[in-house]
Amino acid sequence: MSQLKVNSIVPVGGLPSGSSGGIIQVVKNAKTDVTSATTIDAHTNFSGANVTITPTLNSNKIFGIFSICYGVSTHHHILNFRIVRGSTVVSDVAAASGGGSTFQTTTYGLRNMYDANGGGFVTLTFLDAPATTSATTYQLQYYSVQAGTKYLNRGGNDSSYYGRGASTFTVMELSA
C-alpha cells in the first residue's frame, strides 16, 4: 500500500488567501554580450539590461536581484546605478541627506573606479509593489559625470588578461 505525506500543497496560482511570502514565478534575463554607453549627466539605460515579468495578482510584490559586471574607460570614475520601473525608481534606500553641495541620490551601488583597466561586480536588490497584472519591465540605469565609456560585461581594458563577465537580471513574484 502506498502513502503520500506532505506538509502542504500550494496551488499553481500561489498561496491561499491570507498567506504571504510564497514565490509564484521567477523570470531571469542573462545578458552575455558587451554593451557600452557614453552619456553623462543623465540617468541612462544600458541596452538589454532589463527583465520583464507579468504579475498574476495586482496585490503581489516583486523581489529583484540584479547582478552586474561593469567597467569604465577612464581613471577615477564614479558610476552610480539604479533600477527603474517605467519612470519610477524602485529603491529600498532613501535619498542620503547631506549639506551644501553633497550629491543626494536614490541610486544603487555607488562604485568608484580607480583603474581604467579593470572592472567590478555589484549586486543590487529591490522589493517593489507594482500594483498591476500587466507586463512590467525593470531596467538598469547608470549615472556618471565623467566623460568616457561605461561598459557592461567587460572592464575598461578588454584584453584576455582581464577577462569578461556576464550580468543577470532576476525577478520573483511573491504572494502578498
Side-chain angles (χ1 to χ4, degrees), residues 31-32 67-69 121 153 164-168:
K31 181 172 178 50
T32 58
S67 297
I68 303 154
C69 173
F121 286 92
N153 299 340
R164 289 185 173 184
S167 299
T168 59

Side-chain angles (χ1 to χ4, degrees), residues 52-172:
T52 300
I53 189 169
T54 304
T56 57
L57 294 173
N58 67 1
S59 59
N60 288 346
K61 294 185 177 174
I62 304 298
F63 177 70
I65 305 167
F66 278 34
S67 297
I68 303 154
C69 173
Y70 66 94
V72 294
S73 66
T74 57
H75 293 282
H76 305 293
H77 202 107
I78 298 172
L79 188 59
N80 293 278
F81 295 108
R82 76 178 186 180
I83 301 167
V84 295
R85 171 181 37 85
S87 61
T88 302
V89 177
V90 291
S91 173
D92 294 330
V93 183
S97 60
S101 62
T102 302
F103 182 68
Q104 292 183 331
T105 180
T106 57
T107 61
Y108 281 96
L110 177 64
R111 310 310 295 173
N112 197 352
M113 299 296 297
Y114 293 103
D115 182 354
N117 290 322
F121 286 92
V122 64
T123 299
L124 315 178
T125 63
F126 65 90
L127 183 62
D128 185 38
T132 186
T133 56
S134 298
T136 303
T137 299
Y138 293 93
Q139 172 71 50
L140 176 69
Q141 293 184 331
Y142 77 87
Y143 186 94
S144 176
V145 296
Q146 288 93 354
T149 306
K150 295 81 174 149
Y151 299 102
L152 279 186
N153 299 340
R154 63 161 273 194
N157 183 328
D158 198 29
S159 73
S160 60
Y161 179 76
Y162 293 99
R164 289 185 173 184
S167 299
T168 59
F169 313 102
T170 306
V171 288
M172 295 172 249

Side-chain angles (χ1 to χ4, degrees), residues 14-57:
L15 294 175
S17 179
S19 299
S20 66
I23 297 174
I24 307 301
Q25 61 174 316
V26 178
V27 180
K28 178 181 176 183
N29 175 21
K31 181 172 178 50
T32 58
D33 62 320
V34 172
T35 297
S36 63
T38 57
T39 302
I40 62 171
D41 294 327
H43 286 102
T44 304
N45 292 349
F46 266 122
S47 176
N50 57 49
V51 63
T52 300
I53 189 169
T54 304
T56 57
L57 294 173

